Amino acid sequence: MEQRNSLKLSQKIIVILADILVLAEICYAMSVAAQNPGELTPVFMKAFLPLALPTIAGAIILVRALRDRKQPSQARS
């Protein structure tokens, strides 16, 4: 069974910052959507998705870029 390692400190910081950014993006999108209550959902989606998708994708890319690279000899054992 393969053993998975915990995240490094730099990866944990990226995850925390991404979470904070997504929460801020939700707040912004809700404030924009609240100005037009009749079309709350479409306005929210138009404001939230263009902000959140790059944030999440960027966080995933950065966390993967900062993970330890195993040497080929270590990967076999």
Side-chain angles (χ1 to χ4, degrees), residues 10-76:
S10 58
Q11 292 171 314
K12 289 178 184 178
I13 291 171
I14 290 170
V15 171
I16 291 168
L17 290 176
D19 288 345
I20 292 169
L21 278 173
V22 169
L23 286 172
E25 293 161 356
I26 288 172
C27 292
Y28 170 75
M30 284 305 296
S31 68
V32 169
Q35 295 173 2
N36 191 358
E39 297 182 16
L40 186 88
T41 302
V43 173
F44 174 80
M45 291 300 194
K46 287 179 185 175
F48 178 67
L49 290 179
L51 295 173
L53 292 178
T55 301
I56 294 169
I60 291 170
I61 291 169
L62 285 173
V63 166
R64 287 184 181 174
L66 291 174
R67 77 175 157 202
D68 291 333
R69 303 281 186 219
K70 293 187 177 185
Q71 299 296 329
S73 62
Q74 292 176 347
R76 292 182 192 152

